[in-house]
Amino acid sequence: MDERFLEGRTALVTGSTSGIGLAIAQALGGAGARVALNGLGSHEQIEAAVASVCQAGAPQASFLDANLADPAAVETMMQALAGWGPADILVNCAGVQHTAPIGEMPAATWDKLIAINLSAAFHTMRLALPGMVGRGFGRVVNIASVHGLVASVNKSPYVASKFGLVGLSKVAALEVAGAGSRDSGGVTVNCVCPGWVETPLIEPQIAARADQHGGDREAGVRALLAEKQPSGRMSLPSDIAATVLFLCRREAHNITGSAIPVDGGWTSQ
Ligand code: NAD
């Protein structure tokens, strides 16, 4: 298989200053795509992320600054992207988490999680999909979660946002299903639904479990996995990136509207 199959393509990966998004940006760059990064972080963190994507093989990498909680900022980011190179690949990966029972969930936290985890993806898709349809090729990959397929306690806005993201992706997939051809690669919209992945996002949940085991972090990780993820193994961000990369291949033209679990069996139970 051609390892540089994304030469000449342009990608935007939101939430790519850290964790899964950064690994996806590196994987797309490694396959030859020009990559626009986005996310929060210090100047040094952003510079290091952009440099790592170039080092992975991207012919060009650029940072598009936008707080995705703000729809106007998303629109400005998408205008800047259109000027840099029309988006052939859009990966909505930015996401935040907050755990508390519904009765204790701050209303502002609900609004924030829905805005970043769900509404931002709507805004990037509504602005990117028409161009993809016109060009006959496009890939939208939304990083949902097992929590887009099944629920867990204390995650009301997170689960609602991820179920919403899965539903939104299915609607979009249907709307653009007939665009392009088998040769051009068509336009597809899918979700990837990870179980536990080793990133900063889940550190507070690991810390809470570690506290129940005398501060032993490894015991905390084992307890989290034992509860839900039958493989007993966490994914690495690069494992999730490999699935996203496959969805970007021309051969994946008929995989659309799917929500692909990468969860060690979590959602098979
Ligand atoms: P992470 O905290 O390492 O990365 C999150 C990214 O989102 C960062 O780049 C951050 O700067 C960005 N971000 C947060 N708020 C933003 C905002 N307002 N505007 C722009 N960017 C913003 O976490 P991660 O684990 O890599 O999470 C990436 C995605 O994967 C999220 O959507 C998350 O829900 C999903 N996910 C993670 C896991 C896991 O176990 N880590 C499991 C399932 C799904």
Side-chain angles (χ1 to χ4, degrees):
M1 275 194 179
D2 176 12
E3 295 302 316
R4 300 281 292 177
F5 69 100
L6 292 179
E7 295 266 11
R9 303 285 193 202
T10 298
L12 167 65
V13 185
T14 72
S16 49
T17 50
S18 166
I20 297 169
L22 179 55
I24 293 169
Q26 291 165 347
L28 295 174
R34 303 163 74 231
V35 183
L37 291 87
N38 155 268
L40 308 179
S42 65
H43 184 66
E44 291 73 27
Q45 186 183 358
I46 290 166
E47 286 222 319
V50 172
S52 76
V53 172
C54 289
Q55 202 165 4
Q60 267 183 297
S62 176
F63 179 72
L64 299 181
D65 194 13
N67 182 339
L68 301 182
D70 174 6
V74 179
E75 195 145 351
T76 304
M77 174 181 77
M78 295 307 284
Q79 277 163 6
L81 178 67
W84 194 60
D88 302 302
I89 297 163
L90 167 64
V91 181
N92 286 301
C93 187
V96 285
Q97 174 66 287
H98 184 85
T99 57
I102 290 184
E104 294 165 27
M105 186 66 73
T109 301
W110 168 273
D111 289 344
K112 178 181 160 191
L113 261 73
I114 297 295
I116 297 169
N117 296 4
L118 177 58
S119 301
F122 164 72
H123 291 299
T124 56
M125 286 163 67
R126 80 180 167 80
L127 295 164
L129 275 169
M132 293 178 179
V133 168
R135 293 186 297 278
F137 177 84
R139 294 288 182 265
V140 177
V141 185
N142 293 325
I143 307 304
S145 166
V146 285
H147 287 115
L149 302 170
V150 294
S152 293
V153 294
N154 298 337
K155 297 186 175 177
S156 50
Y158 189 81
V159 169
S161 69
K162 297 298 188 178
F163 268 71
L165 190 57
V166 170
L168 167 67
S169 305
K170 287 181 187 292
V171 173
L174 292 173
E175 289 181 1
V176 301
S181 66
R182 193 167 59 192
D183 286 340
S184 73
V187 181
T188 68
V189 183
N190 291 288
C191 283
V192 173
C193 298
W196 293 118
V197 188
E198 263 184 67
T199 75
L201 185 91
I202 64 166
E203 280 305 320
Q205 295 174 76
I206 292 175
R209 291 304 175 104
D211 282 351
Q212 294 166 4
H213 294 82
D216 182 341
R217 187 180 182 280
E218 286 315 306
V221 169
R222 275 198 303 279
L224 271 184
L225 288 168
E227 188 182 68
K228 304 249 172 165
Q229 192 150 312
S231 66
R233 303 184 295 269
M234 287 231 190
S235 293
L236 291 171
S238 55
D239 300 335
I240 308 304
T243 302
V244 174
L245 198 60
F246 175 74
L247 289 171
C248 293
R249 300 196 78 95
R250 188 206 60 78
E251 298 90 322
H253 66 93
N254 255 339
I255 303 176
T256 196
S258 67
I260 301 171
V262 185
D263 66 359
W266 181 326
T267 53
S268 295
Q269 298 169 99

